[in-house]
Amino acid sequence: GYLSRSLKPLNLAEQQKIKGETYISGGYLEGSHNDDYTRTSIAAIKNNNVVLQQKQLDYIVKISAYCKSQGIPLLFVTAPVPQELLNSISNYTAITDEIRNMTTLNKNEWINFNDPVYRAQLKLVTITDFDDANHLSQQGVIKFNTLLLNAIR
């Protein structure tokens, strides 16, 4: 079950076979895109209020401190999600403000590809550029990777 998989040490983990999906070296899955599944996933989005857990914020600080102690430059990135998902989060601005404040306080850079400036450049179309309410399709990944690579150069 889920619990046994989550407790298994990563060095013992094996790539699982998923019907209709192809593993790509580096930790990626590629599968066929299904517009109907995407529509169903988007239609199931409910309005919600996201709560950042203190543990999540604490880890931003811990990761920042570790990277600084090792001389490792750190960049936080938020990948794009469908506009419908963003619209469903009633406190989205408060959440992004809190993340921005944490990264600024710790002198880290954060690129949020859901910001309007980036979304305008990405020109994402929900049905074709997302596989579901949380994951980019292969077509969406290509658009995102191009902009991400340009942003970090």
Side-chain angles (χ1 to χ4, degrees):
Y2 174 77
L3 187 57
S4 65
R5 284 194 314 266
S6 66
L7 297 175
K8 188 177 197 178
L10 289 177
N11 64 339
L12 300 177
E14 297 176 9
Q15 178 61 43
Q16 295 184 8
K17 302 278 186 215
I18 301 172
K19 186 177 179 181
E21 304 285 338
T22 303
Y23 178 74
I24 300 171
S25 180
Y28 305 95
L29 282 178
E30 181 180 78
S32 58
H33 178 76
N34 181 326
D35 286 356
D36 289 334
Y37 179 78
T38 303
R39 283 186 185 92
T40 302
S41 175
I42 298 301
I45 294 173
K46 305 283 186 237
N47 287 337
N48 62 77
N49 190 40
V50 173
V51 177
L52 287 177
Q53 301 298 314
Q54 187 58 48
K55 187 175 189 175
Q56 293 169 306
L57 300 172
D58 291 345
Y59 270 96
I60 290 176
V61 175
K62 287 179 183 182
I63 291 167
S64 297
Y66 176 77
C67 288
K68 281 184 186 133
S69 75
Q70 301 298 309
I72 300 169
L74 179 61
L75 169 66
F76 289 97
V77 174
T78 301
V81 295
Q83 187 65 50
E84 294 85 347
L85 180 59
L86 294 180
N87 294 346
S88 76
I89 302 171
S90 59
N91 62 335
Y92 179 74
T93 301
I95 293 294
T96 57
D97 287 348
E98 191 163 3
I99 295 169
R100 187 175 291 104
N101 290 340
M102 286 297 296
T103 55
T104 300
L105 180 68
N106 288 284
K107 298 180 175 67
N108 299 122
E109 188 176 352
W110 174 45
I111 300 175
N112 180 0
F113 284 95
N114 292 300
D115 281 349
V117 170
Y118 288 113
R119 290 193 77 84
Q121 293 175 56
L122 286 166
K123 297 181 178 129
L124 295 172
V125 177
T126 298
I127 297 303
T128 56
D129 292 327
F130 292 92
D131 279 335
D132 58 30
N134 297 294
H135 299 95
L136 290 162
S137 66
Q138 187 62 38
Q139 180 175 312
V141 167
I142 291 168
K143 289 180 179 181
F144 172 58
N145 283 353
T146 300
L147 190 56
L148 174 62
L149 291 173
N150 287 333
I152 63 176
R153 286 190 175 136

